[in-house]
Amino acid sequence: MNNVYGYVRVSTREQNEDRQMIAMKEQSVPAKNLYVDKQSGKDFERPQYQRMVRKLKKDDLLYIKSIDRLGRNYGEILEQWRILTKEKGIDIVVLDMPLLDTRRGRDLMGTFLSDVVLQVLSFVAENERTSIRQRQAEGIAAAKAKGTRFGRPPKPLPANYHSAYRRWKAGVITGTQAAKECGMALSTFRYRAEGYDSAAPP
């Protein structure tokens, strides 16, 4: 008897997979055949996905809620689809896109339509991911231009830092000695020293 599987993916542990799980339950996917990854879709190196693929046999049926739950990398989605449908010989149903149901239209036209729809959707999924990254980068650049600082604020410098810094700059003591006097790691001392001249008291 052929097995029915369901694959669910959310990008982070904070995201909720309930909507996808409800969809799988509506398709009567057995709980033991449900595989859930809480991981980015940038590639297919996901533990539960890999476990599921190893279990899939010819003529098994796999449900996914939407194509971007499978992945977000255009080239890799197409490659995985080929592996699953051609090499593994399984059927795939994308619930949010009825045209992507390999059980239907097994003739040449049906296969052609599925391939075209898959390529378009995969491209859209990756393009959206690229756009999100670009918007994030632009937002961060704009915030930095306004003087917004990211990350934790640096710790205040120790009271004797200025003295140690001046003697280090003058070659009186080494960087290691200066860092030790200030109770700092050498790398931290050197990092805080960058640009210190312009902000240091005379």
Side-chain angles (χ1 to χ4, degrees):
M1 185 176 175
N2 303 331
N3 289 311
V4 177
Y5 291 86
Y7 180 68
V8 169
R9 183 185 69 79
V10 289
S11 297
T12 67
R13 294 193 177 277
E14 287 74 34
Q15 289 184 339
N16 195 309
E17 69 271 19
D18 287 354
R19 189 173 67 91
Q20 295 177 68
M21 296 296 279
I22 290 168
M24 296 302 154
K25 189 173 181 180
E26 288 172 350
Q27 302 303 320
S28 301
V29 177
K32 66 184 178 66
N33 289 348
L34 263 177
Y35 290 82
V36 181
D37 276 313
K38 296 191 176 186
Q39 196 169 331
S40 165
K42 67 180 179 359
D43 58 43
F44 286 85
E45 297 304 313
R46 304 173 223 138
Q48 292 303 306
Y49 180 81
Q50 294 296 335
R51 277 188 62 203
M52 179 187 72
V53 170
R54 286 195 293 270
K55 290 199 70 174
L56 290 169
K57 301 288 189 297
K58 182 175 169 54
D59 295 326
D60 283 345
L61 174 61
L62 171 63
Y63 286 104
I64 55 174
K65 184 77 171 77
S66 58
I67 196 66
D68 64 347
R69 296 306 88 200
L70 185 62
R72 287 190 175 276
N73 181 294
Y74 171 57
E76 290 193 7
I77 290 173
L78 298 177
E79 176 62 11
Q80 287 298 311
W81 190 276
R82 185 191 65 77
I83 290 171
L84 295 172
T85 58
K86 304 294 193 295
E87 294 183 12
K88 286 278 187 178
I90 72 160
D91 279 311
I92 304 177
V93 176
V94 180
L95 296 171
D96 284 355
M97 181 56 63
L99 277 173
L100 287 177
D101 182 345
T102 61
R103 299 171 302 178
R104 302 174 184 171
R106 289 179 180 272
D107 58 1
L108 186 60
M109 182 55 72
T111 302
F112 172 75
L113 282 174
S114 285
D115 286 349
V116 169
V117 171
L118 175 65
Q119 291 199 37
V120 170
L121 289 177
S122 300
F123 173 78
V124 169
E126 185 180 9
N127 197 52
E128 176 60 17
R129 181 166 159 258
T130 302
S131 296
I132 289 170
R133 283 203 307 266
Q134 184 177 343
R135 288 196 297 269
Q136 287 174 335
E138 289 171 354
I140 290 170
K144 283 183 175 178
K146 290 179 180 178
T148 303
R149 295 178 66 91
F150 293 88
R152 289 180 298 182
K155 290 181 179 179
L157 289 169
N160 65 336
Y161 184 86
H162 182 70
S163 169
Y165 171 84
R166 288 297 180 202
R167 284 182 291 128
W168 168 65
K169 288 289 281 185
V172 176
I173 58 175
T174 66
T176 302
Q177 289 172 321
K180 189 174 181 181
E181 279 186 24
C182 296
M184 304 166 80
L186 178 59
S187 58
T188 304
F189 179 86
R190 290 185 181 279
Y191 174 75
R192 298 299 294 271
E194 292 176 15
Y196 181 75
D197 268 333
S198 57

